[in-house]
Amino acid sequence: MSSATSAPSGAITDVAGIEVGHWTDTRRPTGCTVVLAREGAVAGVDVRGAAPGTRETDLLEPSNLVECVHAVVLAGGSAWGLDAASGAMRWLEQQGIGLAVGPGRIPIVPAAVLFDLYLGDTAVRPDAAAGHAACVAASRQAPAEGNVGAGAGAIVGKIFGIEQAMKGGIGSASVRVNGVTVGALVACNALGDVVDPATGRVIAGSRRPDGTGLLDTRRALLAGQPPRRLVPAANTTIGVIATDAVLSKAQASRLATVGHDGLARTINPAHTMLDGDTLFALGTGASGIAAEMMLLATMAAEAVALATLRAVQAARGVTLGALHLPAACDL
């Protein structure tokens, strides 16, 4: 009789062949996070939000040529943050890692960004040097969570105004069943609330106007309370799912798709016109066990949901000028 358990560190790095590194700039704050697969990983992606910021996602279509990627970069800084992927490419090239093409090797590094420009000087954002530094910092250790890397400037619950919002962050989790591990890393910068699916309780999100407690965005919207005029694309939850199961490219794509079920369980509303929600999926194949997609799909959604919860549970409140954003731990 099999059972699902959290792997030893409960993080995406429990998946053999996966490393994670953060780069954080506390001046704003902002940052980027790299998920390394030095030996290459079969990859897929699913972009659900209507306002995405991405790089190299078309090549992950199952019908396209490239089978494996060598890293995925998640970054703050909105579209500017995509530059961090160039730094990750440079680091991988220095290690001799990449797709053999003619006389050289080209590292394949898809990326996705979130909007964290509400906090501080918008000229401070991840660049190529930041992506390189995140690679240098990468390890098999369980990654730090909360206000680090791509989660450094993340905010949740902005539907009724930034002054009623709360601090988001980055979190990780893993699930192991029958010798196969699935892990997830999620940077949560959602427009909506983050909800514990086990209880239905709102953990972080829009607060009441007096700041004393949580509003519950779903109930407020259904009661007819109008959202504030919002900045387009100023949100987005991005993340990576990884497994040591043996996947085809089509199966990796499907795993990214079903991973969004985990976002829908924990974020309300999710996948809005003002979010760019994007999930990548990586298969290292290190377990040697062929994918059983029904089980992997269940595990992926579970890992994403757990990682999203961890992102806000590990976050800490920030104050910049007149703007104070408490975290779930403060309430």
Side-chain angles (χ1 to χ4, degrees):
M1 184 71 176
S2 64
S3 62
T5 61
S6 293
S9 64
I12 193 173
T13 48
D14 294 321
V15 175
I18 295 295
E19 301 170 58
V20 174
H22 296 304
W23 175 86
T24 306
D25 192 328
T26 58
R27 291 175 297 166
R28 204 163 60 72
T30 190
C32 64
T33 298
V34 63
V35 178
L36 288 178
R38 293 175 189 248
E39 301 301 318
V42 176
V45 68
D46 193 328
V47 181
R48 288 291 180 91
T54 58
R55 164 177 164 154
E56 297 276 47
T57 52
D58 284 353
L59 63 78
L60 301 185
E61 286 291 325
S63 60
N64 289 342
L65 177 66
V66 173
E67 287 288 327
C68 291
V69 307
H70 306 99
V72 174
V73 170
L74 309 177
S78 191
W80 284 295
L82 290 171
D83 192 31
S86 299
M89 285 187 70
R90 180 162 56 88
W91 184 87
L92 287 162
E93 182 185 28
Q94 291 166 350
Q95 314 308 309
I97 297 170
L99 175 69
V101 180
R105 289 184 174 273
I106 301 176
I108 306 300
V109 184
V113 294
L114 54 79
F115 183 101
D116 61 0
L117 304 180
Y118 281 116
L119 299 178
D121 182 358
T122 60
V124 177
R125 61 231 184 193
D127 56 13
H132 189 279
C135 291
V136 171
S139 77
R140 290 293 315 280
Q141 299 299 311
E145 300 175 296
N147 300 16
V148 295
I155 304 171
V156 299
K158 290 160 277 191
I159 288 180
F160 298 108
I162 189 68
E163 66 279 0
Q164 291 177 224
M166 292 178 64
K167 188 69 183 68
I170 194 166
S172 191
S174 65
V175 178
R176 181 173 293 158
V177 181
N178 293 343
V180 170
T181 302
V182 176
L185 181 77
V186 175
C188 185
N189 185 56
L191 177 68
D193 295 343
V194 176
V195 179
D196 184 345
T199 63
R201 185 169 67 91
V202 178
I203 303 298
S206 292
R207 291 172 293 139
R208 299 188 186 100
D210 63 5
T212 58
L214 290 161
L215 183 61
D216 194 325
T217 292
R218 179 179 67 88
R219 293 182 186 278
L221 290 172
L222 291 174
Q225 184 168 338
R228 292 282 187 88
R229 184 180 297 276
L230 301 166
V231 177
N235 308 285
T236 298
T237 295
I238 52 179
V240 179
I241 302 160
T243 181
D244 54 11
V246 178
L247 297 181
S248 69
K249 199 173 176 187
Q251 288 171 325
S253 177
R254 177 54 52 181
L255 206 62
T257 295
V258 298
H260 279 277
D261 292 353
L263 294 186
R265 291 174 195 169
T266 49
I267 298 172
N268 199 326
H271 308 134
T272 75
M273 291 294 290
L274 304 178
D275 284 286
D277 300 334
T278 300
L279 290 179
F280 297 93
L282 305 178
T284 68
S287 71
I289 300 173
E292 203 299 298
M293 286 304 293
M294 185 65 73
L295 174 59
L296 282 182
T298 302
M299 295 168 70
E302 184 73 7
V304 168
L306 291 171
T308 305
L309 281 179
R310 284 292 307 158
V312 295
Q313 289 169 338
R316 294 295 180 265
V318 299
T319 301
L320 282 171
L323 178 63
H324 174 64
L325 298 169
C329 63
D330 299 321
L331 301 185

